[in-house]
Amino acid sequence: MSRFASFSTRSAHAGRGPARPSVSRPLTPPIYQSTVFAYEHLEDLDTLNPDKHSHSYYRYGTPTHDALEGAMCELEGGEDAALAASGTAILTAIAFTLASAGDYLVADRHLYGGTYTFLTEELPRLGIQTQLVDACDLDEVSYALRKGAKALFVEAITNPTMRICDLPALCMLGERYDVPVIVDATFASPALIRPLEYGAAISWHSIAKYLGGHSAAVGGVATGEHTLIGAIRQKIAQLGGCQSAMDAWLTLLGLPTLPLRMAAHCRNAQAIADYLARHPAVEAVYFPGLSMHPHYEFASQLYPNGYGGMLSFTLNGEMEAVQRLVERLKLIVFAPSLGDVTTTLAYPYATSHYGLPDDVLCSLGVERGLVRLSAGIEDSADIIADLEQALS
Ligand SMILES: *Cc1c(COP(=O)(O)O)cnc(C)c1O
């Protein structure tokens, strides 16, 4: 640039030249924080030459996003993956890709509160109806699907009672009625279950939970077959809901430890559930790794690597007992999310399920005394000691 005499011209272009050729590469993928990419040749634009891969504009993806998409394909065993700004953004793109006005969807009644509201309140405004079913009742699902549903939405492990439906059987029903099965596997992560292996059309996650793992990265990811994911990627670009490169990069930093973290989350959740199940102040414990859980036997087959890091329990004294617990805990933090390396508590009645009608709350098992716990990776003895002093 020094051949330009003017200081303002040199300053405007300073540092923007192509990178110096190097025989080495960064071991950790870098963040490409550039809203646009520069071309040498007009004909290299992917609109003019679809065979050439290029990055053009941030909203359509950057090499940082490519790296995360590639990683998710490896973890899920999928052909392609698409990223979005949040789990909710990827859900929106999935729904808009699969359904139009006049269509109907089928969904498990026990879906995450935000998904439930989107399907039952937002989509009907656009002429898309959702029929709610109990996804653990295969006859009910079968009956609902056969009238031409555009998709079946289920979760690998549901919130907050940790139900585990027969995913392989649901996928077989999807195949029989030619309905794509869309699985929110956020609570399990691909370390515990990979829905595509059972025939699901899409496995999707809220990255803010286990994939990120450190309560720093936000995003959503859907993995599946090329054509469908390509259509979803295009929808995300149209809706404007791209993930930030920083969040994609933070997610990449979290992924290598996913199996180690999940093993610790599962081990600790089991120890905490065993402890709470014997505690006199605890009325009920919801954890698929307890033999008292209605889906224990089935979960043991489907989840050989662990029953997840999430559990819920009800306290005898309703909301006052929950308040007392939150005040007294020293190590465990009250924070309405999940999947962090530290153990956190949430209160579904006032967070994930806030505002739902009482009869709906009741049918979902969301009582005022219900506490949800996300087991961290600490020493389980310390977590249990904190619960012991707080519940005494
Ligand atoms: C958090 C969550 C979502 C929503 O994801 P966001 O990233 O918060 O938009 C969807 N499903 C489940 C199971 C979740 O826990």
Side-chain angles (χ1 to χ4, degrees):
M1 277 305 150
S2 54
R3 61 207 156 89
F4 294 101
S6 160
F7 182 77
S8 58
T9 302
R10 294 204 320 268
S11 161
H13 288 262
R16 288 190 161 207
R20 222 173 124 191
S22 169
V23 292
S24 57
R25 60 184 170 85
L27 188 56
T28 288
I31 310 181
Y32 285 82
Q33 188 63 53
S34 181
T35 59
V36 67
F37 291 77
Y39 291 78
E40 296 293 325
H41 310 288
L42 190 65
E43 65 270 23
D44 285 344
L45 279 168
D46 55 5
T47 43
L48 300 178
N49 194 342
D51 294 337
K52 283 200 177 163
H53 178 63
S54 69
H55 299 95
S56 56
Y57 184 58
Y58 188 104
R59 181 154 47 78
Y60 303 112
T62 70
T64 311
H65 298 98
D66 287 358
L68 180 54
E69 288 174 1
M72 288 310 302
C73 288
E74 291 207 26
L75 298 194
E76 294 270 29
E79 282 180 13
D80 199 0
L83 300 167
S86 64
T88 307
I90 202 84
L91 168 71
T92 308
I94 293 169
F96 283 9
T97 301
L98 293 172
S100 306
D103 290 338
Y104 85 99
L105 307 167
V106 176
D108 185 17
R109 190 171 282 123
H110 294 255
L111 294 180
Y112 167 77
T115 306
Y116 184 94
T117 315
F118 175 72
L119 293 174
T120 58
E121 288 178 26
E122 285 303 317
L123 288 186
R125 297 196 309 122
L126 306 172
I128 301 166
Q129 304 300 328
T130 294
Q131 187 171 342
L132 296 172
V133 294
D134 174 351
C136 290
D137 182 339
L138 295 174
D139 290 337
E140 196 186 346
V141 176
S142 184
Y143 188 76
L145 290 185
R146 67 183 177 189
K147 288 171 283 172
K150 291 296 174 185
L152 169 64
F153 287 82
V154 296
E155 288 177 11
I157 304 176
T158 71
N159 179 32
T161 53
M162 315 306 157
R163 293 157 79 258
I164 292 182
C165 300
D166 188 342
L167 192 58
L170 288 170
C171 290
M172 277 162 66
L173 283 182
E175 194 176 350
R176 187 191 309 164
Y177 295 106
D178 198 20
V179 176
V181 179
I182 313 301
V183 184
D184 176 346
T186 300
F187 269 43
S189 94
L192 301 185
I193 200 161
R194 293 173 289 279
L196 302 181
E197 290 174 3
Y198 297 101
I202 290 177
S203 171
W204 70 276
H205 298 267
S206 164
I207 283 175
K209 318 296 168 52
Y210 287 115
L211 292 179
H214 301 79
S215 301
V218 180
V221 59
T223 311
E225 158 280 316
H226 262 309
T227 318
L228 179 55
I229 296 297
I232 290 169
R233 183 182 289 111
Q234 209 165 356
K235 196 64 74 185
I236 295 159
Q238 274 161 359
L239 292 167
C242 62
Q243 190 187 27
S244 84
M246 179 64 154
D247 287 286
W249 182 76
L250 287 168
T251 310
L252 279 168
L253 293 192
L255 287 186
T257 56
L258 180 69
L260 302 175
R261 285 187 281 114
M262 288 314 296
H265 290 306
C266 291
R267 199 168 56 237
N268 285 349
Q270 182 76 55
I272 297 163
D274 288 341
Y275 161 77
L276 290 172
R278 291 190 305 266
H279 200 289
V282 176
E283 208 170 75
V285 182
Y286 302 94
F287 181 66
L290 289 179
S291 57
M292 66 170 81
H293 191 281
H295 304 142
Y296 170 70
E297 275 182 31
F298 184 65
S300 306
Q301 297 166 27
L302 204 57
Y303 287 84
N305 297 325
Y307 303 93
M310 298 299 299
L311 60 112
S312 295
F313 55 100
T314 27
L315 293 175
N316 291 322
E318 298 221 326
M319 197 188 290
E320 292 75 51
V322 179
Q323 272 165 330
R324 237 181 355 258
L325 176 71
V326 170
E327 302 290 331
R328 287 184 181 179
L329 286 169
K330 296 189 169 83
L331 181 73
I332 301 172
V333 181
F334 178 75
S337 186
L338 65 115
D340 190 65
V341 285
T342 65
T343 301
T344 59
L345 274 192
Y347 187 50
Y349 180 78
T351 57
S352 56
H353 293 72
Y354 181 71
L356 292 181
D358 278 349
D359 58 321
V360 176
L361 290 177
C362 184
S363 72
L364 300 179
V366 181
E367 300 164 64
R368 281 165 211 257
L370 184 83
V371 179
R372 198 187 72 190
L373 186 143
S374 169
I377 64 169
E378 307 98 327
D379 189 317
S380 63
D382 289 331
I383 305 168
I384 289 169
D386 196 29
L387 286 167
E388 176 75 13
Q389 63 83 21
L391 288 171
S392 67

